[in-house]
Amino acid sequence: MIQLDPQPSGDHASLQLDLSSSEAIELIASGGDQDLLYLQNIVVLQSGLPIYSWRARTSLPCVIHDCEQLETFGEGIGQPFRLNTAKASITLVLPDALIQPGNQIFIEYHYGPSSALPSQPVRYVQRGAHSQEIDALFDRAQATSKSKQRSSRTSSENPADVAYRSWREYNGQLPKNEQQLISEYLTNLATKPKISIIMPIYHPNLKYLQLAIKSVIAQLYTDFELVLSIDGPQSSEHDMALSTIAESDQRIKIVRLSEHGNISVATTNAANHATGDFLAFMDQDDELTPDALAWFVAYLNQNPHGKLFYSDEDKVFDDGGLREVFFKPDFAPEMLLSMNYFNHLTIIERQLFITIGGLRTGYEGSQDWEMILRATASLDYSEVIHIPWVLYHWRVHQESVASGYEAKPYVYEAQERLLSEHLERSGYKVSHLERPREGRVFLVPHLMPTQQHLVSIIVPTKNNFADLSNLVHSIESANCENYELIVVENQSSEPNMLAYLEELKKRYRVIAYDVDFNFATMMNFAALQATGDLLLFLNDDTQVITPDWLDQLSALAEREEIGAVGAKLIYSNAQVQHAGVVMGLGGVANHANIGVPFASAGKGSRNLTYGNYSAVTGAVMMVKRSDFIQLRGFDPRLAISFNDVDFCLRLLEAGKRNLLIPSVLLYHHESRSRGRSRARGQLLREDLESSWLYHLHAPLVEADPFYSPNFSQLMSQAFLPATTRHAQRPWLPEGSQYLLPTPHESLIESLIELGAGDTFSTNIQLPQAIKATERISIFVDNPHNVAGTLSIEIGGSKPCEVTIPARRRSYAASVDVNSSPTELIPISITNPNQVPIFLACLALPLLGVDSPDYQPTTLRAQIETPVNPGSSCRPILLRERSV
């Protein structure tokens, strides 16, 4: 317990303590008329460098008395203190890993009389005396971190690679029994095309070439030809090796160019000699997975109209390791304006390839991107098919593009030329092309509208003079014309706010919305009074950074195929607050790339590239007025939350595309006008609105087309592979999923709600390699922390009662069962309690295996779709929040 020294009113003070004890640190405010009003910084230092920090929002003070305004900036550690209003104290709550001898904690706090605490202008409070010192510490830490990264780049492992390795252990292997399933599945397909694998050859590394060809010969789908196009004269060693290769399999065909051309010429030569229905492009040093063509043929049968297919990919290194996985979104046309995310494996209908003129010379190094842009421009959206599985291993070596485009610097010029030409063909008006990161393959077009538009900027507000005045000043300071500003005032009462609104009326429109706050109806009300052909919904706690923001937003919003257009929103600490909305992430929906530095590429470079998303935030959303009126605006049933997401999803369902422009930046001081929704009633309302969104758009919540089904739905692991999530294998029963035999809390991503009196029924079948299981273990989520029971019936046996402990995440019990792999195990679980229980995971402890292809960590059991679909039981997503 530490008594804080009293300070003069309005002053900051600091405290530095050793962290050698696990005892809680409790800070007691002094008595009298001076109260502890603000916490400004909490920093844990190790060897003089910060290893963890909590910093008040925007590095400015946060009001202690208003707990709802506190923000967390940390790696999943959470808010590092508790308030004890009865004792006027703050207890620091730090993770054990930080409580180490030699570590120190630095606390900066602020005193003042509670009676003088202003309602809004905390943002004007002067920064503490030590803020510059802390900034310097973080600059030093960042420099040290970069230095360490450079020195250990070859030995350190990227978290994404760690997650992918774990994902592959459970999902990436292809045991023999599954190979048999694939063969049987392929036999029964209606469409079995011939596939020509096109491989240009130029002075190859023979070791890599042999591995590449071996991976082709090993395909489980066998109706293919491999066309090797030799680009000019080769060495005698190469000629001999190629002749041997051609003789090894009758499906290998060799064609030659008399003189060296380039990769485009060689590829076109191979395509001209191909006889397949589809062409698959492959480099001479890369590898296919054994089931690559099987996946393609399966997806072709599911999508017989498909003409252009692309798959996920990873990179193979000289040590044999598979890393840097690229799990891709479904067809995202605007993302193609920034990068060739199709890349490998791309398979195109041969007739389409001929129709569009094949590959063009002059774009070497990016010839495939140029061809894909022309192909997709000629296709319907439904004719471009994404296969969400890694089918291609891209070889990394010194001279390959996979190791970096420094290996082929001419690629940059080709990219800029092909993209400029495509944008001109597509009717875009281009200001310039930006390469946000030197040495990276992606570009960001800065576009201008093709015609003049009146943009109606609609800003809702209440008693938020400081933020609103800053926003208006930033709009007026930006390089934008031809807009009308409509301020929608909702029952403001503060004198400075009312005075400012009167001032605004002299040059803008201020309309009163004099009923209880409902964001949806408030925006609909204003939209009906707008006169612009483009509507821009803009929160009053935003601030414009990019001067040509309106031009860039309008250039895409004006296009017929585009629905909602959003911008990248950042906190004033330069971290991302919003860069698109991902459905099913951390609940029913959440922001992409939260906490990522705004100038970093992010995973898959999606933080710096044009991005198609299912939704964008209503904090900054531009849409055509005609589309808004046609869809009847925002849904009033979603009064506060998710009305913007629902509207975007309705645009998506109407055939429009929503996207985010990464080069349009605004600050967002989130929810300052209304405050954070953390009161009990507000949380209940948020839960109801999230449930209603799920009810309206369940398929999109469960399967966001622009977020890989192989990615985690946990906020802390966004855009990382998740062991328990993967795309549906076509040869397995529809709706089947795999459960891990050894569950772990971090792997639990979905729950099944079991209401009072409800019964959940399903069938479980063991993998063929498992001899038997002796019990089924049940893991539950018990949100009410009330001890209870579950009634479990297995295989028609007499129901047995198991106890549920009174804690949030529980291991309920193990139920004895004996079964062979050939049997379906019927299981019914009934909740006799008066409160809901959530089934989190069923686990199967194993007795043994009879196949060397399986390892204990990769054994999986198949669980069918519930056999009683009419049950009130429904799957729900684990919400991530702190109350």
Side-chain angles (χ1 to χ4, degrees):
M1 185 180 300
I2 299 168
Q3 187 80 16
L4 297 180
D5 294 333
Q7 302 293 326
S9 178
D11 274 11
H12 284 75
S14 61
L15 174 71
Q16 190 159 327
L17 303 170
D18 289 331
L19 287 178
S20 57
S21 170
S22 60
E23 295 181 5
I25 300 173
E26 187 174 18
L27 309 178
I28 302 295
S30 298
D33 61 353
Q34 299 300 306
D35 293 327
L36 181 63
L37 296 185
Y38 306 106
L39 267 188
Q40 177 137 337
N41 291 292
I42 299 176
V43 183
V44 175
L45 304 172
Q46 186 176 72
S47 301
L49 293 177
I51 59 174
Y52 168 74
S53 77
W54 177 87
R55 308 188 77 181
R57 184 200 304 273
T58 72
S59 299
L60 291 167
C62 279
V63 182
I64 289 298
H65 293 327
D66 185 3
C67 181
E68 296 176 4
Q69 291 192 28
L70 296 174
E71 274 294 323
T72 302
F73 295 107
E75 294 298 321
I77 294 175
Q79 186 169 286
F81 54 83
R82 285 196 305 266
L83 301 176
N84 186 335
T85 54
K87 296 174 63 178
S89 70
I90 302 169
T91 302
L92 297 185
V93 182
L94 297 172
D96 292 341
L98 299 181
I99 311 297
Q100 302 291 338
N103 287 2
Q104 291 186 315
I105 184 168
F106 183 98
I107 307 162
E108 189 171 10
Y109 54 96
H110 179 85
Y111 266 93
S114 57
S115 58
L117 182 64
S119 57
Q120 284 301 326
V122 290
R123 63 192 307 277
Y124 292 126
V125 176
Q126 187 178 4
R127 297 183 66 192
H130 297 275
S131 295
Q132 290 184 351
E133 176 186 345
I134 292 176
D135 288 342
L137 279 173
F138 274 86
D139 291 342
R140 179 183 165 197
Q142 187 177 24
T144 303
S145 174
K146 288 181 179 179
S147 175
K148 288 181 178 179
Q149 288 176 4
R150 285 193 294 268
S151 63
S152 62
R153 187 165 292 171
T154 56
S155 59
S156 62
E157 195 164 12
N158 189 308
D161 291 335
V162 175
Y164 180 51
R165 184 171 64 243
S166 178
W167 185 91
R168 283 190 57 80
E169 287 179 0
Y170 289 101
N171 304 301
Q173 309 301 319
L174 195 62
K176 290 181 179 178
N177 65 336
E178 189 164 328
Q179 294 181 32
Q180 181 62 33
L181 281 175
I182 295 173
S183 298
E184 294 172 0
Y185 173 83
L186 294 172
T187 301
N188 297 320
L189 291 178
T191 302
K192 301 174 185 175
K194 181 177 182 180
I195 305 164
S196 297
I197 301 172
I198 306 300
M199 185 183 294
I201 303 292
Y202 182 70
H203 296 306
N205 179 306
L206 291 178
K207 173 187 173 183
Y208 297 151
L209 178 62
Q210 289 167 352
L211 289 172
I213 293 175
K214 182 180 178 181
S215 75
V216 173
I217 301 303
Q219 290 301 300
L220 297 173
Y221 182 78
T222 57
D223 191 4
F224 67 84
E225 64 177 0
L226 173 60
V227 186
L228 305 178
S229 179
I230 313 303
D231 189 8
Q234 308 291 304
S235 68
S236 57
E237 180 185 9
H238 284 116
D239 285 338
M240 185 178 300
L242 289 167
S243 297
T244 303
I245 288 170
E247 295 170 358
S248 66
D249 194 296
Q250 61 182 3
R251 296 170 295 183
I252 299 177
K253 180 191 298 185
I254 292 183
V255 297
R256 294 178 181 271
L257 293 171
S258 58
E259 296 182 358
H260 171 55
N262 54 49
I263 189 170
S264 300
V265 173
T267 301
T268 300
N269 184 45
N272 290 339
H273 289 84
T275 59
D277 304 294
F278 285 84
L279 308 178
F281 301 99
M282 184 177 178
D283 291 342
Q284 64 186 15
D285 43 12
D286 299 339
E287 298 179 36
L288 299 178
T289 63
D291 54 353
L293 299 186
W295 273 90
F296 160 69
V297 175
Y299 266 64
L300 177 63
N301 277 264
Q302 294 176 8
N303 305 274
H305 50 278
K307 297 182 183 297
L308 180 62
F309 296 74
Y310 64 98
S311 78
D312 297 343
E313 62 188 285
D314 61 19
K315 294 179 182 177
V316 57
F317 291 76
D318 280 341
D319 61 2
L322 299 174
R323 298 188 283 276
E324 297 184 26
V325 66
F326 188 6
F327 286 136
K328 304 169 186 177
D330 287 352
F331 184 34
E334 281 66 44
M335 189 173 176
L336 272 176
L337 299 182
S338 280
M339 62 187 295
N340 175 21
Y341 77 92
F342 278 34
N343 209 26
H344 306 300
L345 174 68
T346 297
I347 302 178
I348 187 172
E349 184 186 60
R350 185 163 68 96
Q351 186 55 51
L352 173 62
F353 183 79
I354 295 171
T355 300
I356 65 173
L359 291 178
R360 293 178 176 174
T361 58
Y363 304 95
E364 284 66 47
S366 292
Q367 72 285 341
D368 47 354
W369 189 7
E370 197 275 338
M371 183 268 290
I372 287 168
L373 286 172
R374 283 185 288 114
T376 54
S378 69
L379 294 176
D380 183 77
Y381 191 87
S382 63
E383 294 176 311
V384 183
I385 309 299
H386 170 221
I387 304 172
W389 204 260
V390 173
L391 306 182
Y392 195 99
H393 304 312
W394 193 9
R395 176 78 59 186
V396 176
H397 60 85
Q398 187 174 0
E399 296 182 0
S400 73
V401 173
S403 65
Y405 279 81
E406 294 82 355
K408 299 180 179 180
Y410 56 84
V411 170
Y412 299 137
E413 186 275 333
Q415 288 173 346
E416 293 165 11
R417 184 156 43 87
L418 72 87
L419 186 55
S420 295
E421 293 171 357
H422 172 75
L423 291 169
E424 183 178 355
R425 288 194 306 267
S426 303
Y428 290 98
K429 186 178 179 181
V430 183
S431 169
H432 64 280
L433 301 179
E434 177 190 2
R435 192 178 295 277
R437 295 284 293 274
E438 288 301 321
R440 300 298 287 268
V441 68
F442 50 84
L443 294 164
V444 176
H446 286 241
L447 305 175
M448 298 181 291
T450 58
Q451 55 186 299
Q452 193 174 58
H453 301 278
L454 176 63
V455 179
S456 297
I457 303 175
I458 300 173
V459 180
T461 191
K462 177 178 181 177
N463 286 335
N464 196 13
F465 159 70
D467 279 335
L468 180 62
S469 58
N470 277 343
L471 170 61
V472 172
H473 177 72
S474 70
I475 293 173
E476 294 173 338
S477 301
N479 180 24
C480 54
E481 299 177 353
N482 208 34
Y483 67 89
E484 65 171 355
L485 179 61
I486 303 174
V487 177
V488 192
E489 187 279 312
N490 180 217
Q491 300 178 332
S492 293
S493 58
E494 296 178 0
N496 58 352
M497 181 67 177
L498 295 175
Y500 183 64
L501 291 172
E502 288 300 317
E503 179 188 332
L504 285 180
K505 288 179 182 180
K506 297 176 183 177
R507 57 189 192 277
Y508 301 118
R509 294 171 63 190
V510 177
I511 59 178
Y513 181 80
D514 198 21
V515 295
D516 289 343
F517 181 77
N518 180 312
F519 180 87
T521 56
M522 193 172 174
M523 294 298 94
N524 294 345
F525 171 72
L528 291 174
Q529 302 184 55
T531 60
D533 56 331
L534 296 177
L535 305 179
L536 175 59
F537 299 103
L538 190 63
N539 274 22
D540 64 350
D541 54 0
T542 57
Q543 188 176 344
V544 178
I545 300 173
T546 306
D548 63 343
W549 68 303
L550 278 189
D551 280 349
Q552 290 199 57
L553 293 170
S554 301
L556 283 152
E558 72 177 4
R559 296 181 69 88
E560 184 59 32
E561 68 273 18
I562 299 301
V565 181
K568 185 190 294 183
L569 307 183
I570 64 174
Y571 298 109
S572 54
N573 67 351
Q575 292 181 340
V576 171
Q577 182 269 330
H578 166 84
V581 172
V582 174
M583 304 308 299
L585 180 64
V588 292
N590 225 311
H591 300 295
N593 293 314
I594 289 181
V596 174
F598 86 98
S600 72
K603 297 180 178 67
S605 301
R606 292 186 69 173
N607 194 40
L608 291 182
T609 56
Y610 271 24
N612 291 97
Y613 286 93
S614 289
V616 296
T617 178
V620 182
M621 177 197 292
M622 183 176 284
V623 65
K624 288 181 283 295
R625 187 177 188 274
S626 58
D627 285 345
F628 191 79
I629 298 300
Q630 184 176 355
L631 294 182
R632 304 181 68 84
F634 295 115
D635 189 339
R637 294 171 295 187
L638 299 167
I640 310 295
S641 302
F642 303 119
N643 39 61
D644 49 357
V645 176
D646 164 72
F647 177 73
C648 286
L649 296 185
R650 285 187 281 129
L651 284 168
L652 209 63
E653 292 160 353
K656 305 286 184 175
R657 298 195 295 271
N658 305 315
L659 71 142
L660 181 123
I661 304 178
S663 52
V664 177
L665 295 176
L666 291 90
Y667 288 118
H668 189 200
H669 313 294
E670 194 177 12
S671 297
R672 277 200 190 161
S673 182
R674 290 283 155 186
R676 301 285 289 181
S677 298
R678 282 295 170 262
R680 185 176 182 84
Q682 291 172 316
L683 286 173
L684 176 60
R685 185 263 310 152
E686 189 175 327
D687 283 341
L688 290 173
E689 291 181 343
S690 65
S691 297
W692 184 245
L693 183 73
Y694 182 91
H695 170 74
L696 293 172
H697 306 285
L700 284 170
V701 173
E702 294 181 353
D704 188 325
F706 305 110
Y707 188 73
S708 172
N710 304 305
F711 280 148
S712 174
Q713 288 183 314
L714 296 175
M715 279 297 293
S716 59
Q717 299 174 34
F719 292 97
L720 290 177
T723 308
T724 53
R725 275 175 54 82
H726 54 77
Q728 173 68 42
R729 290 173 170 88
W731 34 85
L732 295 179
E734 186 174 354
S736 65
Q737 59 178 308
Y738 291 115
L739 297 181
L740 301 178
T742 309
H744 186 277
E745 284 192 15
S746 65
L747 304 179
I748 296 171
E749 300 183 32
S750 61
L751 307 175
I752 296 172
E753 181 180 12
L754 207 58
D758 277 350
T759 298
F760 171 77
S761 300
T762 189
N763 292 325
I764 296 177
Q765 186 171 14
L766 305 181
Q768 290 292 322
I770 301 175
K771 291 181 179 178
T773 183
E774 63 179 1
R775 65 188 185 274
I776 294 179
S777 300
I778 299 153
F779 291 74
V780 302
D781 194 55
N782 184 5
H784 295 275
N785 296 320
V786 177
T789 61
L790 283 180
S791 176
I792 302 175
E793 182 178 345
I794 296 179
S797 61
K798 182 179 179 181
C800 62
E801 300 289 329
V802 296
T803 301
I804 303 171
R807 61 175 182 268
R808 181 67 193 249
R809 181 59 50 75
S810 310
Y811 164 80
S814 291
V815 180
D816 292 336
V817 60
N818 286 295
S819 176
S820 68
T822 59
E823 297 176 347
L824 283 175
I825 310 172
I827 177 172
S828 294
I829 304 174
T830 300
N831 175 21
N833 308 289
Q834 299 301 311
V835 295
I837 295 295
F838 299 91
L839 301 180
C841 189
L842 304 178
L844 304 175
L846 308 173
L847 289 180
V849 298
D850 58 10
S851 169
D853 295 317
Y854 278 92
Q855 298 297 322
T857 57
T858 61
L859 288 167
R860 299 169 292 196
Q862 182 177 319
I863 178 169
E864 292 185 343
T865 303
V867 296
N868 54 340
S871 168
S872 61
C873 300
R874 61 181 178 85
I876 69 165
L877 299 174
L878 179 61
R879 261 180 66 75
E880 291 190 329
R881 72 169 188 220
S882 58
V883 180

